[in-house]
Amino acid sequence: MKTIRNTIAVIAVFTITSVNAQIDLPKLKEKLVIQEQQISALTKENIYYKEALNLTQSTIQTEIESIRYQINSVIGDKQNKMLVIEGLFTNQGEALKALQVVGAAAIDPKGIQHETYIVSLANESVRVENVYTDIPMKFTITFKDFDTDIPLIRLFSLDVYSNGQFAKKISGKFENLNITWK
């Protein structure tokens, strides 16, 4: 009699556990999907912040009238014969009403100068309004029809309008920028 009661009790426990497990399984699957989505979102966010941190850590930099310019990448496209220089500029002085980059030049190791006016600041134009203090903003300089055999830029100059009452062109210079060709 005792064994029958024990057997019935064991069967009852297994039945209740099995029913509870079946009820909880969809809930657990739903929780798992939500957690996987959260992990994916956090992973993407982590990658974004790592890239942003790397951008602000560049050691290739110069200053032109209280604005620091940093070069983050010098990438060449062999197929299209283009060279793209990307970086950040940060105003370290008082807030500016505007900043304008008027052009850039690159001198290769053979002494040949390449010029471009294809400049894109934070808002995809050559001029950006309201340059706040200590806020990094992106810039991109593109050279077309660039010789794909050039391994580095001996001198890169960036021409900007000054902050004074009378606009004058000033240049910032970077030396020995290695080109990564793709």
Side-chain angles (χ1 to χ4, degrees), residues 105-115 146-147 150 154-155:
I107 300 175
D108 67 26
K110 291 182 180 178
I112 300 171
Q113 181 168 322
H114 310 266
E115 292 185 358
F146 205 85
D147 186 354
I150 299 172
R154 183 73 181 102
L155 179 75

Side-chain angles (χ1 to χ4, degrees), residues 31-166:
K31 282 184 179 180
L32 180 64
V33 168
I34 291 170
Q35 287 179 344
E36 285 175 344
Q37 289 172 345
Q38 289 173 340
I39 289 170
S40 176
L42 288 172
T43 301
K44 288 178 185 175
E45 190 176 310
N46 191 21
I47 290 169
Y48 176 83
Y49 283 123
K50 278 184 178 179
E51 288 175 357
L53 180 63
N54 287 339
L55 290 178
T56 59
Q57 301 289 327
S58 176
T59 58
I60 305 170
Q61 55 188 332
T62 192
E63 191 169 316
I64 306 171
E65 289 198 355
S66 77
I67 297 178
R68 183 179 68 226
Y69 295 87
Q70 299 171 266
I71 302 291
N72 295 320
S73 67
V74 182
I75 307 293
D77 179 352
K78 283 188 176 186
Q79 187 176 14
N80 295 321
K81 296 179 104 179
M82 289 177 46
L83 179 71
V84 178
I85 299 174
E86 289 185 338
L88 295 175
F89 64 92
T90 307
N91 180 14
Q92 297 178 313
E94 295 180 23
L96 301 174
K97 290 183 180 178
L99 173 73
Q100 184 170 353
V101 177
V102 292
I107 300 175
D108 67 26
K110 291 182 180 178
I112 300 171
Q113 181 168 322
H114 310 266
E115 292 185 358
T116 188
Y117 300 98
I118 305 172
V119 176
S120 173
L121 297 179
N123 60 356
E124 303 296 321
S125 72
V126 296
R127 182 180 171 91
V128 65
E129 305 292 330
N130 300 321
V131 182
Y132 299 103
T133 302
D134 296 327
I135 304 295
M137 299 176 84
K138 182 178 178 179
F139 71 86
T140 304
I141 311 291
T142 305
F143 292 89
K144 289 188 175 183
D145 199 30
F146 205 85
D147 186 354
T148 59
D149 293 329
I150 299 172
L152 70 95
I153 296 172
R154 183 73 181 102
L155 179 75
F156 172 68
S157 67
L158 191 62
D159 299 330
V160 299
Y161 278 133
S162 73
N163 304 332
Q165 263 185 323
F166 302 103

Side-chain angles (χ1 to χ4, degrees), residues 12-29:
V13 168
F14 281 131
T15 304
I16 292 170
T17 305
S18 175
V19 169
N20 284 341
Q22 290 175 2
I23 292 171
D24 288 344
L25 189 59
K27 289 180 184 177
L28 290 174
K29 285 183 180 179

